[in-house]
Amino acid sequence: MDNMNFLSRLSERTGLPAAETEKMVNALSAIIAEKCSALDCVAIPSFGTFIPQKHDETIITDHTTGSRLLLPPEIVLTFKQSASLRKKLEK
């Protein structure tokens, strides 16, 4: 399912106009991104938890040239589904 298909189905289920539904989804994703960039977990009841993990910078050496590269730190976001969502998906 792509983004436009998701937005249209969500719009149908909520009865809201597509433009308003898109604004709400964008606002939710912005909030999740903001909080996770500050390394805060975001828990959505009956859905799951977004868990950010910071990976420190890494030095990589190219063995053919002997040059060293420094990879910047990054934040990796993982998602852990709730038990109720897992049960719904198993049906």
Side-chain angles (χ1 to χ4, degrees), residues 12-84:
E12 289 173 8
R13 288 192 180 195
T14 60
L16 297 172
E20 189 173 339
T21 304
E22 184 175 4
K23 284 181 186 178
M24 293 175 81
V25 169
N26 289 339
L28 177 63
S29 64
I31 291 169
I32 292 172
E34 177 185 325
K35 291 300 177 184
C36 288
S37 67
L39 299 178
D40 292 335
C41 293
V42 178
I44 301 173
S46 300
F47 185 67
T49 304
F50 295 93
I51 305 165
Q53 296 175 341
K54 184 176 181 181
H55 293 188
D56 293 330
E57 56 191 22
T58 307
I59 298 174
I60 296 178
T61 304
D62 185 355
H63 296 292
T64 57
T65 62
S67 62
R68 296 174 67 183
L69 299 172
L70 180 64
L71 296 178
E74 65 180 347
I75 297 174
V76 177
L77 191 61
T78 57
F79 176 74
K80 183 176 180 186
Q81 65 187 2
S82 69
S84 61

Side-chain angles (χ1 to χ4, degrees), residues 1-18 21-22:
M1 176 183 298
D2 64 356
N3 189 41
M4 292 308 294
N5 190 2
F6 170 72
L7 290 174
S8 65
R9 291 179 80 177
L10 184 60
S11 176
E12 289 173 8
R13 288 192 180 195
T14 60
L16 297 172
T21 304
E22 184 175 4

